[in-house]
Amino acid sequence: MLTDAAVIEDREEWATARDVQQGFMTLGRVAPGAVDYSAMCRQAHTLGGDSFDFLRLPDGRLLLTVGDASGKGLAAALMIAHVQSSVRTAALYAANDGAAMLRVVSRHVYDTSLVDRYATFFYGVLDAAGRTMRYVNAGHVPPMVLRRDGSVDWLETGGAPLGIFPDWPYEEGVVRLHPGDRILAYTDGVTEAENPSGEMWGFESLLRVASAHRARSADETVHAVFQALDEFTRGHQADDATVLVLGSRDHREARSRERRFSAPCTPTDSTWIHRALS
């Protein structure tokens, strides 16, 4: 039988693990006036398999990712941390070729993970000055591009989830962004959330809330989505849920600032990247 002290120690360890996982999810720093962006990841339990990340690359471009590992809890948290840190490190060496980079990461994940473990993953590199984003969608629910004229584009180009196959030839897509356009990325824990009657929230509800808050900041939009989601489910969350919003920054808000949950993750050993790309 566990003693009270052992129970408290166990809870403290799980809380520390949660803080470590949150440290992988950063809202970094970009140039003033470039973009307005925000994200929130809310796991169903203390630890979970969802993730997001923003990373400013050495050339000034912005890397953004959203991931969802199979399963839940500790195993999913370990899987997505493995994927996320691998992508972060690989991006420092091969950000200009997202398809080749994710092919290497997927092979690495396949070689080092259990047979039934994988992760869907969206990888994008935003050139704010050129208003373009190159991206690869590795089996993830397609992010939306909410156009200023009310139309919607879906970012589907890519390939299979990471870690399923030993070698997969990913494709890279390019999307042009115009003033007023917004990118909305999310995990299936958002669109597949159910109310007490068993009805799913769905893509239409997510799109409706995001569109209704087009004039608000990215941060306000993210929180509005979660508020609407909680009202629909009556506060019951069965799966990990993540929402990311990115768009043109209002010049009145054009100021540089750093926002993060915790310290950024530490890159993993990069030996396997050099070996795979050589």
Side-chain angles (χ1 to χ4, degrees), residues 71-276:
K72 294 181 176 65
L74 178 59
L78 291 172
M79 178 67 176
I80 201 63
H82 178 38
V83 170
Q84 192 175 9
S85 58
S86 297
V87 168
R88 254 189 169 242
T89 306
L92 297 177
Y93 298 90
N96 290 327
D97 192 343
M101 189 272 292
L102 280 193
R103 187 173 187 173
V104 171
V105 170
S106 183
R107 186 187 312 148
H108 178 61
V109 172
Y110 177 89
D111 290 340
T112 57
S113 303
L114 297 177
V115 175
D116 61 344
R117 294 293 172 178
Y118 63 89
T120 67
F121 204 80
F122 179 82
Y123 171 93
V125 176
L126 176 71
D127 179 354
R131 293 192 178 277
T132 58
M133 185 177 74
R134 309 187 74 87
Y135 74 91
V136 180
N137 186 336
H140 197 73
V141 285
M144 309 176 193
V145 180
L146 310 180
R147 298 296 186 184
R148 189 173 185 176
D149 62 5
S151 61
V152 179
D153 292 333
W154 301 83
L155 304 182
E156 300 176 306
T157 303
L162 303 177
I164 288 187
F165 301 106
D167 191 33
W168 186 273
Y170 290 94
E171 297 180 59
E172 186 177 69
V174 181
V175 60
R176 179 79 178 178
L177 301 173
H178 305 284
D181 291 345
R182 272 190 166 182
I183 294 171
L184 173 63
Y186 49 94
T187 56
D188 59 12
V190 175
T191 52
E192 295 179 6
E194 296 183 351
N195 65 13
S197 300
E199 301 170 315
M200 288 198 301
W201 200 47
F203 296 100
E204 294 80 7
S205 298
L206 173 61
L207 179 59
R208 183 175 62 252
V209 174
S211 297
H213 290 78
R214 293 185 63 89
R216 301 295 184 89
S217 69
D219 194 57
E220 289 173 313
T221 302
V222 168
H223 283 84
V225 169
F226 273 98
Q227 181 178 353
L229 183 64
D230 288 341
E231 291 173 356
F232 177 80
T233 63
R234 297 185 182 178
H236 175 68
Q237 182 176 341
D239 196 6
D240 308 326
T242 299
V243 175
L244 178 153
V245 174
L246 180 146
S248 299
R249 186 189 294 277
D250 188 318
H251 290 296
R252 292 171 297 180
E253 299 178 323
R255 59 191 178 93
S256 178
R257 58 181 178 176
E258 183 173 8
R259 299 166 295 171
R260 64 181 63 204
F261 286 106
S262 185
C265 61
T266 302
T268 57
D269 175 44
S270 61
T271 304
W272 60 272
I273 301 171
H274 291 296
R275 183 170 62 248

